[in-house]
Amino acid sequence: MTLKWWAIVVAAVSVTSCVTANVVIGAVEGEQLPLVVNLFALITAGTAVVLAVVAELHDRLNDRVSALTEFLVARLNEIEAHAGDRNSGFVEGYLLNHGQEAAVVPFGRRGRGAAER
């Protein structure tokens, strides 16, 4: 189970046990549980509810970031494909305009090492 569901279970158990204990003690002895016990149960339930809400918000944010990432990857792939087509067309056009004798010069080392070859 995820953190969110564990927090919901803890909150439900805490509230249920507090209410049940108060009802049983009230019915049997006509009194209430000590204030410390009631406050502990309420603080536990409140903390668990806040934790469940934060976990849900984290899940939603994670889903949105994943969707945004997928959209950006798709868009960048589309831009790269479009730019790749334009660049290849530019190179082919350049080569066609300068005839077949136009050679593509590879990048290499410059300086003494290139002159010795």
Side-chain angles (χ1 to χ4, degrees):
M1 287 183 13
T2 62
L3 176 65
K4 175 179 73 173
W5 291 110
W6 277 112
I8 291 171
V9 167
V10 167
V13 168
S14 176
V15 169
T16 303
S17 64
C18 179
V19 170
T20 303
N22 278 322
V23 168
V24 169
I25 296 288
V28 172
E29 297 179 9
E31 296 179 8
Q32 292 183 351
L33 280 176
L35 182 62
V36 174
V37 175
N38 285 331
L39 284 177
F40 178 73
L42 290 176
I43 289 171
T44 302
T47 303
V49 167
V50 168
L51 187 62
V53 169
V54 168
E56 175 64 21
L57 292 175
H58 181 268
D59 287 345
R60 287 184 182 191
L61 179 64
N62 193 21
D63 291 343
R64 285 189 179 196
V65 168
S66 296
L68 179 63
T69 302
E70 290 174 7
F71 171 75
L72 287 176
V73 166
R75 183 68 178 132
L76 287 173
N77 286 338
E78 179 184 324
I79 290 171
E80 189 262 335
H82 184 67
D85 291 344
R86 284 189 174 189
N87 288 339
S88 64
F90 173 77
V91 171
E92 290 171 3
Y94 175 80
L95 292 175
L96 286 174
N97 285 338
H98 288 82
Q100 293 293 356
E101 63 275 354
V104 176
V105 179
F107 289 115
R109 291 178 42 157
R110 296 181 184 243
R112 284 182 54 155
E116 293 174 1
R117 291 184 195 173

